[in-house]
Amino acid sequence: PMGSERMEMRKRQMSTTQETPGAAQAQHSTGNRGSNACCFCWCCCCSCSCLTVRNQDEERTRRTSHELQAEGIPNCEESPAPTLEEVNAWAQSFDKLMLTPAGRNAFREFLRTEFSEENMLFWMACEELKQESNKSVIEEKARLIYEDYISILSPKEVSLDSRVREVINRNMLEPSQHTFDDAQLQIYTLMHRDSYPRFMNSAIYKDLLRSLSEKSIEA
């Protein structure tokens, strides 16, 4: 009996030894499948290389859109330095501020500090669109404006109500110079009511006004 038990134990050991490589191979095979799991199972895609490549492609496309838009809208409008009279006029009305490139540049600098520069960028893009007459150029610029400022996927999305968004979506079926008119007016009103009063009390405006006043006295 003892011999039989030893033989049985030896058989079990041999059986276990033979099964182990197979199990290891199966485990290794499963691991290989896991590394490419995005092709078979959505739950593992978050860390796979395929998704990384896909995300990089999407980011490259989005970045290209922003760069094209930036080419159409310079970082700063060219304008002579504002006079003391002009800067004082900005305090009279928001319209007077927005009429001059120097006023828009100063206001845009302030909006950047509040992380709402996209409002001015969108308004300027709409103004530029209105100057176009070539249909293909209009369609391309309208698409860029939509992607950069209207799409909910854009980091520069502006705040618009649902009614205006519906109007834009209808207009995008056949883009024109006036596709974003309602949205542009809404953003203009938002800047006027929300940001303009704070700009008038900001260090940016007060420092500029003080600097020009001192130069005027010295002259």
Side-chain angles (χ1 to χ4, degrees):
M2 291 293 296
S4 299
E5 288 178 1
R6 290 196 196 96
M7 287 292 295
E8 187 66 23
M9 289 177 64
R10 190 176 295 112
K11 286 180 181 179
R12 289 177 183 173
Q13 290 175 352
M14 291 178 62
S15 175
T16 302
T17 304
Q18 289 172 353
E19 288 174 2
T20 300
Q25 184 176 1
Q27 195 170 20
H28 179 69
S29 176
T30 302
N32 286 341
R33 285 199 299 272
S35 65
N36 294 315
C38 64
C39 302
F40 307 100
C41 176
W42 64 268
C43 64
C44 299
C45 282
C46 58
S47 60
C48 73
S49 59
C50 294
L51 183 64
T52 301
V53 172
R54 188 157 60 246
N55 286 341
Q56 289 174 347
D57 289 341
E58 290 173 357
E59 180 62 27
R60 191 178 300 113
T61 301
R62 187 156 50 244
R63 192 184 308 118
T64 300
S65 172
H66 295 328
E67 289 171 353
L68 287 172
Q69 182 65 25
E71 290 176 3
I73 300 177
N75 288 332
C76 183
E77 290 184 88
E78 293 184 6
S79 69
T83 64
L84 178 59
E85 182 181 3
E86 286 177 331
V87 175
N88 277 321
W90 297 349
Q92 296 173 14
S93 74
F94 183 59
D95 292 339
K96 290 185 177 181
L97 169 69
M98 293 290 283
L99 278 174
T100 64
R104 292 192 294 271
N105 284 337
F107 187 53
R108 180 176 167 185
E109 181 183 352
F110 168 74
L111 292 177
R112 190 178 293 120
T113 67
E114 292 200 332
F115 305 100
S116 59
E117 184 185 13
E118 66 274 3
N119 290 331
M120 177 64 81
L121 293 174
F122 172 68
W123 186 88
M124 292 170 63
C126 293
E127 286 295 293
E128 183 179 315
L129 179 64
K130 290 177 181 178
Q131 307 304 316
E132 295 294 344
S133 57
N134 184 288
K135 184 177 180 181
S136 61
V137 174
I138 289 172
E139 290 178 349
E140 177 63 11
K141 287 193 174 184
R143 182 184 66 81
L144 289 175
I145 290 173
Y146 189 94
E147 289 181 358
D148 285 349
Y149 303 109
I150 309 301
S151 172
I152 60 175
L153 300 177
S154 172
K156 296 193 293 183
E157 178 194 6
V158 296
S159 179
L160 300 170
D161 62 36
S162 58
R163 180 193 65 82
V164 171
R165 286 185 174 277
E166 289 176 5
V167 170
I168 292 174
N169 288 334
R170 288 198 301 269
N171 290 343
M172 285 299 292
L173 296 175
E174 192 172 345
S176 72
Q177 300 99 317
H178 305 289
T179 292
F180 304 100
D181 281 4
D182 286 354
Q184 186 186 20
L185 177 59
Q186 190 168 96
I187 293 302
Y188 188 90
T189 303
L190 175 65
M191 291 191 294
H192 182 192
R193 294 178 178 175
D194 185 58
S195 303
Y196 173 63
R198 290 197 298 275
F199 168 69
M200 298 312 303
N201 291 312
S202 69
I204 291 176
Y205 177 74
K206 290 180 177 179
D207 289 348
L208 179 59
L209 184 62
R210 182 172 58 252
S211 175
L212 292 173
S213 296
E214 291 173 353
K215 289 181 181 178
S216 177
I217 293 173
E218 291 174 359

